[in-house]
Amino acid sequence: MIEISNLKKDFGTTTACDIDSFRIGDGEVLGLVGNNGAGKTTLFRMLLDLLKPDSGQVAIDGINPAESEEWKQFTGAYIDEGFLIDFLTPEEYFSFLGKISGIAQHDVEERLSKFDHFAGGEVFGQRKLIRNLSAGNKQKVGIISALIRQPQLVILDEPFNFLDPTSQVVLKRMLTDYAARTGATLLISSHNLQHTVDISTRIALLEKGRIIRDLANDNTAAKEELTAYFGN
């Protein structure tokens, strides 16, 4: 699904990304973990062609995101509020996404109904513009927007941020079920180590832009090593 080759990005004297070779296979749920400044968001932004690398390249299903937009047809992502159109209501925003994706309105509404539990009665039917929602509810809108087109590649940066404990548990179940049901590849970054371990089949540990550990996570096998790393 994703091939990374000699990918480098510096900001002044700070190395934000330095990955010689890394492959993410179809159907994997990859958790990216690391302290602040480890390079997680920088990597995601380069995968999504939001940030140009200094050297190297990324291929998504053989497509270089900098050279073609075909990858967008099967990719859903949410990084931050900049992905939202905040002068729309959530319903207007989802309808817009449906229109540009060729999804009929009744199908948009049917798909949205599957997110009712996650929305928690605070997103749909509130007659509020996205800009006037709480940080947690904006986060929910962003996550739903990444999933509504049922993409085969999902990229979420810190999806548990701003969510209350109940919503975090619902989101964990929702992402796990989505991966199992669709066979999609999921890339999730998070500071919440427990949530990441719970949902990931594989975990990459970043430090100063480099992947220093690539851990299989069958039955949360990576937890002990990660706990030891972050506990030092």
Side-chain angles (χ1 to χ4, degrees), residues 17 25 30 34 38 41 62 75 103 119 122 124 128 136 139 159 194 203 231:
C17 183
L30 179 73
T41 301
T75 301
I103 304 171
E122 298 179 331
F124 305 138
K128 288 185 178 180
Q139 189 81 346
Q194 185 61 58
I203 294 179

Side-chain angles (χ1 to χ4, degrees), residues 14 23 31 48 65 70 76 86 109 129 142 155-156 162 165 178 189:
T14 301
R23 183 181 185 278
L48 297 169
E70 291 183 16
D86 69 357
E109 293 171 0
L129 302 181
I155 298 176
L156 299 174
F162 311 117
Y178 184 83
S189 80

